Amino acid sequence: MSTIESVLVENRVFPPSEATVKAARISGMDAYKALCDEAERDFDGFWSRLAKENVVWSKPPTQVLDESNKPFYKWFADGQLNASANCLDKHMGTPVENKTAIIFEADGGEVTKVTYRELLTRVSQFANALKSHGIQKGDRVLVYMPMTIEGIVAMQACARIGATHSVVFGGFSAKAVQERIQDGGAVAVITANYQMRGGKELPLKAIVDEALGMGGCESIKNVFVYERTPSACNMVAGRDKTFSQILEGQSTECPPEMVDAEHPLFVLYTSGSTGKPKGVQHSTGGYLLWAKLTMDWTFDLKPEDIFWCTADIGWVTGHSYIVYGPLAAGATEIVFEGVPTYPNAGRFWQMIERHKCSIFYTAPTAIRSLIKASEADEKVHPKSSDLSSLRILGSVGEPINPEAWMWYYKNVGGERCPIVDTFWQTETGGHMINPLPGATPLVPGSCTLPLPGIFAAIVDEAANDVPNGSGGILVFKKPWPSMIRTIWNDPERFKKSYFPEELKGYYLAGDGAVRDAETGYFRITGRIDDVLNVSGHRMGTMEIESALVSKTDLVAEAAVVGRPDDTTGEAICAFVVLKRPLPQGDEAKQIAKELRDWVAKEIGPIAKPKDIRFGENLPKTRSGKIMRRLLRSLAKGEQITQDTTTLENPAILTQLDQTY
């Protein structure tokens, strides 16, 4: 890899306001540095102190980090706790008991509020319902739910009885559900008849039925169905029951099942660069500690805050910053079922005004699409809503480009709210590199500095540190409590993917990064493997290629690359060789539509290629490797500068230029 030069120079700096510094939990850079020094000086002591202060243990740990079987690290291994008790029971008997835990706004605008006490009652009752169907500690339960209070209750109820949940995002296809049931060996599915998105009723239960009908899901004994809408759905006698059926007569008290700190709290599947999704396994103790701590540090949470993370519970952001972090921290949070553009593109801003939201956490893609919408229509512009309740803004999912950062800072935050641009991954369990609102001077487009206790570095392929100002590979040199423990059922792949031998035992994040020569601030430059980041969601190019090629009646070969896109960050561009002559005009459009629909069915709508290009063959090297670099240049519409003399068929360059 030649040295990656950083082309982006960003000189704008926004120091935190005096008022923010004064009121902050970590106040000023000296306080940040003091915590970093403590972690450096006494690594075990630092984490031990934080685990005592932030987690309720039924059996406090005497060990901190166990490195005896690297890279399979263990944290607080002899400690015992329960995640749900740390989110709910610990607040009973304190002022938080009667505080609003969730302000739920449905797709249609209806608002429901639930206190911590009420949430505990609902979670306990649901946990008893699971137990009465034989589900117990160590079992896996697949959750395929809309963004509702019930989805959070289902996950917390699993945690309460020590069952490991595996949540699948409600936009994924039947195939994706089937693969995850199979790999995880789930014993039950928790789903809903339909979900409401943008005024439309979309099926969930029908997709579960289709997944179970594909075979290989014999482990499933029960399917529990939340009736989100009055519309009927197919129910299989003996296997399927509605929520109201399973909750009937269940006690509202359920003592939490204590588990070891290393007990798997959840497995969440993420895209890898090969086709098969990876089941990222997270522990209970370390994960929970970090979810709670980052709520306090990154968002500088105060008792009176109204926190809103706009993610879905199907992604890790929803796990850490909807289901576990805010509740462990005793926050009041907004949970939103719908989409940012329904009934109009001002929905986010209107909701912030309606609920007096003070901390708002969303993705750059959402910001970029709302910039477009507000430029086209005054009425949906943030300035048409009263956003004076906002105190802190956050960004998550992918790097935020400086211009979108500035717009967000000015138009949403009124130039008074710090933006915490958070770099982290499904595998890291919580935030890794981001500014602290009352300490770090902000630079648009930079996630700034690692959190205390996180040892980030940029290295070359031989794991040597590179000088600030030159780009390289982002790694973490020391383990941290909320890190991935393994890939479910595939420890070898875990080692290979995250701790490759050539990197001296460092954790490989899979992203390129550069550190500013002056400030030492980090900026993420994008993935270094074949994983695309579309709207903040990771997708392996291999997965989309596999889906295209599985349409065996049409497709002979396919290659997928990413290209920059103004709204989604990256767009999927597919180069396809068909088993028939090269199509033109309307016919090509028709086939492209057919292929998009097929990918949506195989993986989910989110994986639909934006561009499809047809060629008689793909550009390959003599050894038969697809020239992906060339395809990337074609996708971007760049001048081809690399050597193409090795191409068997130079005419394909003209063919592959045409987008459908």
Side-chain angles (χ1 to χ4, degrees), residues 40-72:
E40 199 136 338
R41 219 179 36 253
D42 178 8
F43 189 73
D44 277 14
F46 171 80
W47 288 116
S48 168
R49 171 176 78 79
L50 291 169
K52 276 193 192 80
E53 290 170 6
N54 290 279
V55 176
V56 178
W57 301 92
S58 62
K59 179 172 171 245
T62 62
Q63 299 165 304
V64 183
L65 171 62
D66 173 356
E67 299 184 81
S68 58
N69 182 19
K70 294 178 185 177
F72 299 95

Side-chain angles (χ1 to χ4, degrees), residues 583-630:
Q584 305 286 332
D586 285 345
E587 186 188 19
K589 280 185 195 149
Q590 173 50 42
I591 295 177
K593 179 180 177 321
E594 195 177 337
L595 293 177
R596 281 191 184 93
D597 294 345
W598 174 262
V599 171
K601 187 170 117 341
E602 284 291 297
I603 305 174
I606 192 151
K608 271 191 202 173
K610 193 160 191 180
D611 307 346
I612 293 184
R613 303 178 177 206
F614 297 108
E616 283 166 336
N617 43 33
L618 293 173
K620 291 181 183 167
T621 61
R622 288 204 171 115
S623 64
K625 265 198 158 140
I626 296 172
M627 299 164 76
R628 290 177 188 272
R629 204 167 58 166
L630 181 70

Side-chain angles (χ1 to χ4, degrees), residues 190 372 533:
I190 304 176
K372 257 190 204 159
N533 192 330

Side-chain angles (χ1 to χ4, degrees), residues 239-314:
R239 183 192 75 186
D240 304 353
K241 295 188 177 89
T242 66
F243 275 24
S244 29
Q245 286 169 324
I246 63 169
L247 292 169
E248 199 177 334
Q250 294 294 348
S251 156
T252 53
E253 282 184 25
C254 173
E257 178 75 41
M258 296 302 156
V259 299
D260 291 341
E262 282 296 317
H263 178 78
L265 175 63
F266 63 89
V267 174
L268 186 56
Y269 286 83
T270 177
S271 291
S273 46
T274 64
K276 187 173 170 287
K278 296 186 282 204
V280 172
Q281 180 180 320
H282 275 290
S283 74
T284 302
Y287 170 80
L288 199 78
L289 164 64
W290 200 232
K292 154 80 170 60
L293 255 185
T294 46
M295 282 298 303
D296 289 345
W297 286 356
T298 303
F299 301 116
D300 190 38
L301 189 74
K302 307 271 190 281
E304 61 280 6
D305 275 315
I306 308 285
F307 175 81
W308 182 15
C309 163
T310 67
D312 189 283
I313 55 174

Side-chain angles (χ1 to χ4, degrees), residues 102-107 144-152 155 167-170 192 194-197 204 226 228 308-315 317-319 321-323 333-339:
I102 298 172
I103 304 170
F104 171 68
E105 180 161 318
D107 183 63
Y144 187 58
M145 284 287 278
M147 267 300 290
T148 51
I149 298 174
E150 285 70 17
I152 299 171
M155 289 164 76
V167 185
V168 179
F169 170 59
Y194 292 90
Q195 58 178 339
M196 294 300 300
R197 280 178 81 83
L204 284 176
Y226 164 52
R228 169 65 188 88
W308 182 15
C309 163
T310 67
D312 189 283
I313 55 174
W315 308 112
T317 306
H319 283 54
Y321 301 108
I322 296 175
V323 179
E333 59 173 329
I334 299 168
V335 171
F336 173 47
E337 177 178 37
V339 293

